């Protein structure tokens, strides 16, 4: 965890390879904790069949790059040829911010955000077989699945270098509980820092 002088709010960054189940875990976590505010990313990739309309703000490249140029992103990165970016967070007061982003984005957040406590967690799939099954279940083509797996291996290697916690998604409830405990511990540390300063 990277401490800062400001007590609140936290930023929880969840990264991990495609097929780790980040989206599901994060949705569950945010549903059960009203103090968490999930950022909605912008992306230039097209919506998958059956994907929620509000999974992202889906935009074209022109709109994405215009926002990037105007300084409207906290971080942004290219993943398999598509742009993904986190708009400057606009969380209601008293809320902790949750970002579900790739490891490039996580590193940018760690470099740029100096006035908040950031907790970085890496979600890993229980096995490569499970990861592949999840990726194929999304309806992506075989070549795309292969590219995601190769990228995922890199993400794990890079992510392990800076993550504060590594959470294995072998059981959804357990993984969500573990993340909730990580958030609770970070809040306690924040509160005790605030109380002693
Ligand atoms: P997907 O296309 O599977 O939804 O996402 C591909 C990758 O982009 C995932 O690792 C996801 O976490 C990441 N991602 C989603 N939103 C953002 C974002 O705003 N910024 C960055 N850097 N990565 C993101």
């Amino acid at each position: 965890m990277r401490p800062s002088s400001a007590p609140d709010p936290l930023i929880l960054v969840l990264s991990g390879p495609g097929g780790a189940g980040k989206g599901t875990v994060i949705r569950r976590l945010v549903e059960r904790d009203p103090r968490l505010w999930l950022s909605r990313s912008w992306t230039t990739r097209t919506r998958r069949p059956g994907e929620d309309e509000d999974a992202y703000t889906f935009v074209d490249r022109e709109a994405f790059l215009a926002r990037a140029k105007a300084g409207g992103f906290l971080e942004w990165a290219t993943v398999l040829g598509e742009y993904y970016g986190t708009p400057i967070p606009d969380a209601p007061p008293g809320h902790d911010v949750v970002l579900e982003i790739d490891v490039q984005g996580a590193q940018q957040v760690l470099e740029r955000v100096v006035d908040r406590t950031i907790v970085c967690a890496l979600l890993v799939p229980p096995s490569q077989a499970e990861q592949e099954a999840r990726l194929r279940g999304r309806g992506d083509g075989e070549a795309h699945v292969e590219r995601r797996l190769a990228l995922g291996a890199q993400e794990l290697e890079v992510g392990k270098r800076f993550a504060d916690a590594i959470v294995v998604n072998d059981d959804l409830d357990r993984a969500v509980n573990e993340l909730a405990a990580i958030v609770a511990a970070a809040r306690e540390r924040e509160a005790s820092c605030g109380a002693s300063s």
Side-chain angles (χ1 to χ4, degrees):
M1 217 175 82
R2 284 79 181 164
S4 75
S5 53
D8 208 28
L10 306 169
I11 299 183
L12 171 67
V13 177
L14 185 70
S15 291
K22 286 170 294 188
T24 311
V25 167
I26 246 11
R27 266 197 309 280
R28 283 275 191 102
L29 180 72
V30 170
E31 267 165 28
R32 80 183 214 187
D33 183 343
R35 270 179 67 193
L36 291 178
W37 180 86
L38 179 60
S39 168
R40 187 188 305 169
S41 296
W42 281 33
T43 185
T44 57
R45 85 150 161 77
T46 49
R47 209 175 124 215
R48 296 189 187 107
E51 187 173 35
D52 280 354
E53 265 176 49
D54 60 1
Y56 286 100
T57 300
F58 294 96
V59 294
D60 61 23
R61 287 180 172 240
E62 203 183 353
F64 190 100
L65 291 172
R67 182 165 189 146
K69 199 170 166 199
F73 290 121
L74 177 62
E75 63 72 37
W76 64 274
T78 312
V79 180
L80 297 179
E82 301 291 349
Y83 294 119
Y84 294 80
T86 303
I88 303 289
D90 187 21
H95 283 67
D96 296 320
V97 172
V98 180
L99 309 180
E100 190 242 289
I101 58 180
D102 84 325
V103 293
Q104 306 172 75
Q107 285 172 303
Q108 288 179 45
V109 171
L110 288 171
E111 281 162 22
R112 289 181 191 165
V113 179
V114 292
D115 59 346
R116 296 213 190 161
T117 296
I118 301 168
V119 187
C120 278
L122 190 68
L123 189 72
V124 302
S127 66
Q128 181 156 341
E130 181 66 27
Q131 182 188 13
E132 285 189 39
R134 287 192 188 136
L135 287 174
R136 293 211 165 81
R138 290 176 181 172
D140 288 337
E142 186 56 30
H144 200 78
V145 169
E146 293 299 328
R147 289 172 74 204
R148 291 244 174 202
L149 285 170
L151 180 66
Q154 286 172 30
E155 293 237 351
L156 275 182
E157 203 185 303
V158 176
K160 280 178 181 168
R161 287 189 217 137
F162 65 79
D164 300 299
I166 296 176
V167 176
V168 180
N169 189 13
D170 49 1
D171 175 89
L172 180 58
D173 287 334
R174 203 201 52 73
V176 174
N177 286 340
E178 204 174 319
L179 275 175
I182 289 165
V183 170
R187 282 176 177 156
E188 260 175 43
R189 281 193 293 268
E190 279 289 287
S192 60
C193 285
S196 62
S197 61

